[in-house]
Amino acid sequence: MNVLVLNCGSSSVKFQLIATDLEQIAHDGDHRLARGNIERIGGEAIVTLQAEGRGSQRSTATLRDIRAAVDLIVRWAGANSGIEGIQSVADIHAIGHRVVHGGERFTHSVLITDEVLRGIEDFIDLAPLHNPTNIKGIVAAREVFGSGLPQVAVFDTAFHQTLPEYAYLYALPYQLYRRHRIRRYGFHGTSHRYVAYRYRQILGISRDQTNLITLHLGNGCSIAAIRSGDSVDTSMGLTPLEGLVMGTRSGDIDPAIIDFIGAKEGLTSQQVETLLNKQSGLLGISGLTNDMRELLEEAHENNDRRAWLAIEIFCYRARKYIGSFLAAVGGAEAIVFTGGIGENSPEIRSKICAGLDWMGLKLDEELNATHIGRREGLISKDGSRLAVYVIPTDEELLIARDTVRCVRGAPQRY
Ligand code: ADP
């Protein structure tokens, strides 16, 4: 089955085409056929398309909306682009969508029906920036492919629906949860789920034996505590703003700061929220960039004090969370780094793990240095009580596999 995986953002669409089926899943025989990225939709969009085994093509195109972007992907895929097994649109058999918020209703991936679409709409309140664009992607794909083609929604929140009540409830008046479902949902679920799955595959252990902490460090950053294969706590909350320091998001702050900033700077609560989401984090502290690679360069080349400070705060917050999540798991065997920073920066991994030797974490700096560029493996020393791994994430693969399982009516595996 050839699955088109779509990740529709406000002005971008990322996609992959993956050939997979139940048999291939069982033998890890999934096959990536093509991938691409369309940015700056709404104007002169930048289009990057790549059939597997060929060079990537970059071009620009005037694309009005997500529908135009999906149309472009489909025309390219069907137009003899050298994609193995794809001669026309009819060779695409299903679509898997990344959907950010599934609230409490969607605990697993689902085939998209009108009712499911209405369900995703119901959570627009909780994810006003994301769910509307995910819906646009689903509607666009229906228009382009016709309503007969199965589409599946894979939710960022679903993996964290196993959090116990004491971990997901905030200490707010309980009726706020009852009335508005204000609680911790957590995000990056597909990524945490994938690396937890890969971890048990690498070690040859069962889901029940999987006790670990996963750190997804990209532009957005989150950490998850996984006990017996289930997510039991995570750092992101009602929205992706809570928790670790991120590229442009503050992560945890004293909630009283919001009104304080508003009063001092003459900003509305909406403006303060934008400041916390878009102008804070690494960017806010350094005043330079939200990009960790650039920040490290700036710190090393110019010894910029605030670049170093941003890096230090980022690593300290992550270390502090590892400590508390070790307590949450109650006996983790490993921590796993993933995401753009987690997969590629030995320096940040080393700084996060610094000073944790007292509790038995011994990083192997040589192994750490060589695990970059999607290399997977152990980076702690033999005899380290807490093992450390780098496992490159692959959310698209899980989305494609969930799509197959939903379409085939096979049980889902979390
Ligand atoms: P997104 O969350 O948007 O998917 P990614 O997971 O690709 O983002 O992560 C992007 C982050 O990864 C950026 O901060 C980028 O600088 C960082 N990154 C990528 N490569 C490196 C590297 N070699 N060293 C440090 N940071 C890196």
Side-chain angles (χ1 to χ4, degrees):
M1 190 181 269
N2 297 324
V3 181
L4 174 63
V5 176
L6 287 177
N7 180 354
C8 298
S10 57
S11 63
S12 71
V13 174
K14 287 189 199 150
F15 75 93
Q16 288 194 12
L17 256 167
I18 298 177
T20 180
D21 218 322
L22 297 178
E23 185 75 4
Q24 280 150 296
I25 295 173
H27 300 103
D28 272 333
D30 326 69
H31 189 43
R32 215 165 306 257
L33 303 174
R35 65 178 80 214
N37 197 358
I38 304 180
E39 290 166 296
R40 300 202 199 153
I41 295 167
E44 193 68 356
I46 301 167
V47 182
T48 313
L49 304 165
Q50 185 179 15
E52 199 63 22
R54 303 204 165 192
S56 80
Q57 317 165 3
R58 256 172 91 86
S59 58
T60 57
T62 310
L63 297 176
R64 206 182 51 237
D65 51 19
I66 290 180
R67 153 94 208 243
V70 174
D71 224 18
L72 182 143
I73 295 166
V74 172
R75 272 188 284 118
W76 173 72
N80 202 11
S81 312
I83 307 173
E84 190 190 322
I86 308 273
Q87 261 83 48
S88 76
V89 179
D91 293 320
I92 295 174
H93 307 118
I95 303 178
H97 291 268
R98 174 188 178 212
V99 179
V100 168
H101 217 305
E104 291 183 322
R105 191 171 321 165
F106 298 111
T107 57
H108 289 88
S109 305
V110 286
L111 263 177
I112 299 173
T113 59
D114 287 344
E115 199 189 333
V116 167
L117 208 51
R118 277 195 296 276
I120 300 171
E121 274 167 10
D122 287 346
F123 302 122
I124 286 179
D125 257 10
L126 294 171
L129 300 178
H130 297 105
N131 274 26
T133 56
N134 298 154
I135 292 168
K136 280 186 194 152
I138 295 167
V139 171
R142 259 193 194 174
E143 286 168 7
V144 172
F145 288 93
S147 54
L149 197 78
Q151 298 199 52
V152 169
V154 179
F155 299 92
D156 257 24
T157 47
F159 181 58
H160 302 302
Q161 277 298 302
T162 47
L163 258 61
E165 203 176 23
Y166 59 76
Y168 72 66
L169 277 183
Y170 293 110
L172 294 168
Y174 189 74
Q175 63 268 29
L176 291 176
Y177 167 64
R178 269 220 291 260
R179 273 196 234 135
H180 311 295
R181 296 287 149 204
I182 295 174
R183 53 161 283 178
R184 175 182 311 286
Y185 290 95
F187 299 86
H188 289 147
T190 313
S191 177
H192 290 292
R193 182 181 147 211
Y194 175 78
V195 297
Y197 151 79
R198 265 306 291 161
Y199 170 80
R200 62 179 187 260
Q201 210 179 30
I202 294 168
L203 268 75
I205 58 174
S206 69
R207 193 176 188 282
D208 278 0
Q209 296 167 313
T210 306
N211 299 303
L212 76 162
I213 288 174
T214 51
L215 282 107
H216 178 107
L217 307 176
N219 259 318
C221 300
S222 68
I223 174 165
I226 296 173
R227 191 196 302 141
S228 305
D230 287 339
S231 174
V232 292
D233 208 347
T234 189
S235 57
M236 284 178 166
L238 176 79
T239 77
L241 185 52
E242 193 180 345
L244 301 177
V245 175
M246 312 184 208
T248 60
R249 296 190 194 119
S250 62
D252 297 339
I253 57 162
D254 178 344
I257 291 174
I258 296 172
D259 262 1
F260 195 80
I261 297 177
K264 293 287 181 193
E265 297 279 317
L267 301 176
T268 62
S269 59
Q270 192 83 45
Q271 287 169 322
V272 177
E273 196 180 318
T274 304
L275 180 146
L276 297 177
N277 268 301
K278 302 247 153 103
Q279 294 151 30
S280 301
L282 297 176
L283 172 66
I285 302 162
S286 70
L288 293 170
T289 175
N290 63 316
D291 188 297
M292 184 58 96
R293 196 168 12 187
E294 288 175 17
L295 207 54
L296 284 164
E297 276 166 19
E298 193 59 37
H300 284 291
E301 280 167 24
N302 300 321
N303 203 16
D304 185 279
R305 192 187 88 82
R306 275 169 52 195
W308 278 122
L309 192 59
I311 293 165
E312 197 178 343
I313 295 171
F314 180 93
C315 296
Y316 172 66
R317 179 84 56 90
R319 186 159 64 241
K320 206 160 79 160
Y321 259 97
I322 289 174
S324 64
F325 275 32
L326 282 172
V329 178
E333 281 109 38
I335 63 176
V336 177
F337 285 100
T338 194
I341 299 171
E343 292 165 24
N344 293 301
S345 181
E347 184 171 357
I348 296 298
R349 294 191 298 245
S350 176
K351 283 186 191 304
I352 290 175
C353 296
L356 295 182
D357 351 19
W358 63 269
M359 54 164 233
L361 190 161
K362 297 193 181 78
L363 204 65
D364 182 321
E365 288 299 351
E366 271 174 42
L367 284 177
N368 184 30
T370 53
H371 281 75
I372 50 174
R374 296 197 65 77
R375 185 165 166 216
E376 175 185 88
L378 181 75
I379 59 166
S380 53
K381 288 186 175 154
D382 274 356
S384 179
R385 196 146 41 125
L386 189 64
V388 186
Y389 284 82
V390 175
I391 301 183
T393 195
D394 198 343
E395 291 156 277
E396 291 81 5
L397 181 69
L398 266 199
I399 295 174
R401 288 181 169 190
D402 277 13
T403 302
V404 163
R405 291 188 186 111
C406 285
V407 172
R408 299 276 186 230
Q412 288 191 39
R413 299 196 46 217
Y414 265 65

